[in-house]
Amino acid sequence: MDVKNQIVMSQVMMPHHANALGVVHGGEMVKFMDTAAAAVAMRYSKSDCVTARVDEMSFHFPVHVGDLVVCTASIVYVGRTSMEVLVTVDAENLKSEGNTQVALSAYFTMVCIDETGRPQEVKPYMPQTADEKVLYEQAKAYIERKKAFRK
């Protein structure tokens, strides 16, 4: 994916991120994902952005204290004032060989806002690679289903 349409953030999970059993709180992971989604949306739109919706949040397996988490946020679709951002979190036990797995994933709807807090238009997004085109079409179909459901 185009570097302007993606951001990667990482950090090692520490005891203050976790419960007494050493499992990272889900809210800590969601906060990290939201930060990455906002960063890529702001980079793409060159404007402030806010979270409007989180869809399909999936916790695939627990993250533990000491794990390295790598959060990848990618613009997959752009509407008039909003962007769909796919966020995935890979977790790696740094003490074991090749033990990286997708721990979480979700779609974040980010809305571009002006200095008064009102939604503003976002430049169009044109997927370039085959993977980007597949994600674009999936997001477009999903958005159409959401719109139909609201009616």
Side-chain angles (χ1 to χ4, degrees), residues 32-147:
F32 190 40
M33 295 169 79
D34 189 45
T35 300
V40 75
M42 291 170 68
R43 173 191 270 171
Y44 182 82
S45 68
K46 302 297 184 214
S47 185
D48 289 325
C49 296
V50 294
T51 306
R53 183 178 175 120
V54 179
D55 288 315
E56 298 184 33
M57 176 68 67
S58 297
F59 291 81
H60 305 291
F61 75 91
V63 176
H64 296 93
V65 169
D67 286 352
L68 172 67
V69 294
V70 179
C71 188
T72 304
S74 306
I75 303 279
V76 295
Y77 182 86
V78 172
R80 190 177 68 78
T81 62
S82 66
M83 295 157 274
E84 289 295 311
V85 180
L86 173 60
V87 183
T88 58
V89 177
D90 293 322
E92 176 184 358
N93 180 331
L94 295 173
K95 296 177 186 174
S96 66
E97 196 75 34
N99 190 14
T100 301
Q101 297 178 322
V102 176
L104 292 94
S105 59
Y107 284 91
F108 286 71
T109 303
M110 307 302 294
V111 175
C112 182
I113 58 171
D114 64 18
E115 52 282 337
T116 67
R118 303 292 303 160
Q120 71 177 18
E121 289 194 23
V122 182
K123 68 181 177 181
Y125 169 67
M126 300 305 293
Q128 303 298 313
T129 69
D131 287 342
E132 288 175 342
K133 290 174 183 176
V134 168
L135 288 170
Y136 177 87
E137 291 302 323
Q138 289 173 343
K140 184 177 177 182
Y142 182 69
I143 288 165
E144 294 303 318
R145 286 193 305 274
K146 284 194 297 189
K147 287 179 182 176

Side-chain angles (χ1 to χ4, degrees), residues 8-27:
V8 178
M9 298 170 50
S10 60
Q11 67 180 21
V12 174
M13 295 291 97
M14 304 303 279
H16 68 273
H17 296 125
N19 62 24
L21 300 174
V23 177
V24 175
H25 294 292

